């Protein structure tokens, strides 16, 4: 019988208890200049200039917002080159040659607890903006825009779900940086006048729940924060799904969370807020997972933003075979397929998956409705696909294509192995 699917079956050996690998500092990093909503940039440096770790070297422009660009190592500015990024396309990147000194920018300075306690909302927002903090769960939306709202925010929700298969970067972060998670949450609540905090974690992640509760009891018992266990299913990490399950509030898709007195951020973003407020330090590295059937030693590591993917493959023991492989930057449900491994790690990337090639042939739709039953936003993927093939823009819009969150479930459950999610992406572009 056809029914709703929200469980993703994976090889647990490729996800659980992966060893942690120490990776040597890179000789070069590649800082993305074009990404997501940011389609233009202006640099304050030129080839040959010396830069420091955490130094602001330019700004990206997204039209209605801007985002500072930072060097993630100290060294010398190289050329502008093109590399693949998480979009699956080649984009302009600034090469920085590492001097291995890790000399920090003069702007990186520790604030005292008294200074932090006196921060106003506007000062807090400026700190987040100046340090380029964005949604580090993969969304990449500028965090300062969320906090700059004029609406009264009563509750902030921290997303610790990491619901995509094979991914474990947030898992490592929560285990090792629980103090900073609560610290970032506290800074946000105090500066914004937010009365309640919530951290959502899967009920199956016992180690994370234990780590968070231990830190809360020892250091943040006076903070009005509740750690809530939620069911382990996909896409539990979607912000509207998480809010429904931790607060019982059903948010209408397309409306602002601030209209409900809410803000939602990822736990990794909370750590970034802590470092920005406490040390005026932008994000220059992050936890990363590399796994799959086509690498010799699946593992996790901490990498510089701007790392080169072939180095990470080498750190994972290299490829098992010289045959063609499937490389996915990000998770298997929402990540981007790479044509080549000539790719770099941006600040929002948490994993790369490498599998042997063995793609099943696509067959005609049998009208089983699996995709309809499983779609978390109640869309009709096959109807949208057909409208796209006919280039019927009005039909695509009437079928509410912009409600699609590109979670990948329609492709996953399709009995005919149709790449429906890719059709959803193409239909969005056509409708725009």
């Amino acid at each position: 019988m056809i029914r709703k699917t929200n469980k993703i079956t994976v090889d647990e050996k490729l996800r659980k208890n992966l060893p942690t690998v120490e990776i040597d500092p890179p000789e070069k990093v590649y800082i993305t200049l074009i990404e997501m909503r940011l389609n233009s940039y202006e640099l304050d440096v030129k080839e040959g200039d010396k830069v420091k770790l955490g130094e602001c070297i330019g700004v990206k422009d997204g039209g209605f917002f801007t985002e500072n660009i930072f060097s993630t190592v100290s060294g010398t500015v190289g050329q502008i080159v093109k590399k693949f990024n998480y979009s699956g396309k080649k984009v302009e990147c600034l090469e920085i040659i590492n001097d291995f000194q890790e000399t920090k920018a003069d702007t990186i300075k520790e604030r005292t607890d008294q200074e932090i306690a006196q921060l106003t909302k506007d000062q807090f927002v400026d700190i987040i903006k100046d340090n380029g903090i964005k949604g580090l769960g993969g969304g990449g939306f500028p965090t300062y825009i969320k906090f700059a709202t004029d609406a009264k925010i009563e509750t902030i929700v921290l997303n610790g779900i990491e619901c995509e298969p094979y991914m474990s970067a947030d898992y490592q972060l929560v285990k090792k940086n629980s103090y900073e998670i609560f610290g970032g949450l506290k800074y946000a609540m105090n500066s914004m006048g937010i009365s309640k905090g919530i951290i959502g974690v899967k009920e199956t992640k016992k180690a994370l729940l234990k780590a968070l509760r231990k830190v809360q009891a020892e250091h943040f018992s006076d903070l009005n924060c509740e750690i809530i266990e939620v069911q382990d299913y996909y896409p539990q990490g979607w912000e509207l799904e998480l809010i429904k399950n931790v607060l019982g509030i059903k948010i209408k898709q397309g409306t602002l969370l601030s209209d409900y007195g809410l803000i939602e951020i990822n736990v990794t973003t909370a750590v970034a807020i802590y470092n920005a407020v406490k040390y005026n330090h932008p994000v220059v590295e992050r936890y990363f997972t590399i796994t799959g059937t086509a690498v010799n030693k699946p593992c996790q590591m901490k990498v510089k933003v701007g790392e080169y993917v072939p180095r990470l493959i080498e750190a994972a023991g290299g490829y098992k075979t010289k045959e063609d492989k499937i490389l996915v930057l990000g998770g298997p449900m929402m990540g981007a397929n790479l044509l080549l491994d000539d790719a770099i790690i941006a600040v929002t990337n948490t994993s790369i998956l490498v599998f042997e090639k063995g793609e099943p042939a696509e067959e005609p739709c049998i009208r089983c409705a699996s995709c309809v039953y499983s779609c978390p936003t109640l869309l009709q993927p096959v109807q949208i696909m057909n409208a796209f093939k006919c280039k019927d823009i009005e039909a695509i819009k009437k079928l509410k294509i912009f409600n699609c969150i590109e979670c990948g479930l329609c492709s996953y459950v399709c009995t005919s192995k149709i790449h429906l999610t890719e059709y959803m992406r193409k239909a969005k572009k056509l409708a725009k």
Side-chain angles (χ1 to χ4, degrees), residues 104-135:
K104 292 187 176 182
D106 299 336
T107 52
I108 297 177
K109 294 179 180 178
E110 184 173 357
R111 292 184 176 89
T112 66
D113 291 341
Q114 184 178 8
E115 288 173 325
I116 294 171
Q118 293 174 348
L119 289 175
T120 65
K121 171 187 171 181
D122 289 343
Q123 290 171 329
F124 172 76
V125 171
D126 285 343
I127 290 170
I128 293 175
K129 180 179 180 181
D130 291 346
N131 283 280
I133 307 303
K134 58 167 65 175

Side-chain angles (χ1 to χ4, degrees), residues 26-240:
E27 293 184 2
K28 297 178 181 179
V29 292
Y30 302 90
I31 308 302
T32 51
L33 302 176
I34 300 292
E35 55 179 323
M36 284 192 180
R37 310 164 185 87
L38 301 153
N39 49 25
S40 65
Y41 63 89
E42 186 174 330
L43 292 174
D44 299 326
V45 294
K46 62 183 183 301
E47 188 174 355
D49 284 354
K50 299 294 183 181
V51 293
K52 296 179 179 179
L53 182 150
E55 179 180 341
C56 182
I57 56 176
V59 64
K60 302 172 191 173
D61 195 333
F64 71 95
F65 70 94
T66 59
E67 182 182 300
N68 287 340
I69 306 169
F70 296 93
S71 175
T72 61
V73 297
S74 60
T76 306
V77 176
Q79 300 177 326
I80 292 177
V81 297
K82 284 195 172 185
K83 301 285 183 185
F84 286 102
N85 76 345
Y86 52 81
S87 68
K89 301 176 182 178
K90 278 199 168 184
V91 298
E92 291 182 352
C93 303
L94 181 65
E95 173 189 73
I96 300 179
I97 304 159
N98 195 355
D99 64 10
F100 301 100
Q101 298 300 308
E102 295 285 277
T103 306
K104 292 187 176 182
D106 299 336
T107 52
I108 297 177
K109 294 179 180 178
E110 184 173 357
R111 292 184 176 89
T112 66
D113 291 341
Q114 184 178 8
E115 288 173 325
I116 294 171
Q118 293 174 348
L119 289 175
T120 65
K121 171 187 171 181
D122 289 343
Q123 290 171 329
F124 172 76
V125 171
D126 285 343
I127 290 170
I128 293 175
K129 180 179 180 181
D130 291 346
N131 283 280
I133 307 303
K134 58 167 65 175
L136 297 178
F141 188 76
T143 303
Y144 80 87
I145 294 179
K146 289 186 176 183
F147 284 106
T149 178
D150 292 328
K152 172 60 179 173
I153 303 300
E154 297 174 349
T155 304
I156 179 170
V157 177
L158 267 56
N159 189 332
I161 302 304
E162 196 171 38
C163 62
E164 276 216 63
Y166 299 114
M167 300 171 74
S168 61
D170 284 359
Y171 184 86
Q172 294 304 308
L173 175 120
V174 175
K175 283 206 303 185
K176 298 173 182 177
N177 297 94
S178 287
Y179 181 90
E180 289 82 1
I181 290 172
F182 277 103
L185 176 62
K186 181 178 180 178
Y187 294 161
M189 290 175 68
N190 288 350
S191 300
M192 295 285 296
I194 299 172
S195 58
K196 184 174 179 62
I198 288 175
I199 304 177
V201 180
K202 289 179 183 177
E203 61 187 4
T204 53
K205 304 298 183 184
K206 302 302 182 186
L208 304 193
L209 292 163
K210 182 179 179 180
L212 287 167
R213 285 169 177 153
K214 184 175 186 293
V215 168
Q216 183 179 31
E218 292 178 354
H219 302 284
F220 297 94
S221 58
D222 59 337
L223 189 66
N224 184 22
C225 175
E226 185 178 1
I227 301 168
I228 297 181
E229 301 178 33
V230 296
Q231 291 181 314
D232 186 354
Y233 66 84
Y234 185 83
Q236 177 69 268
W238 179 33
E239 64 179 10
L240 301 194

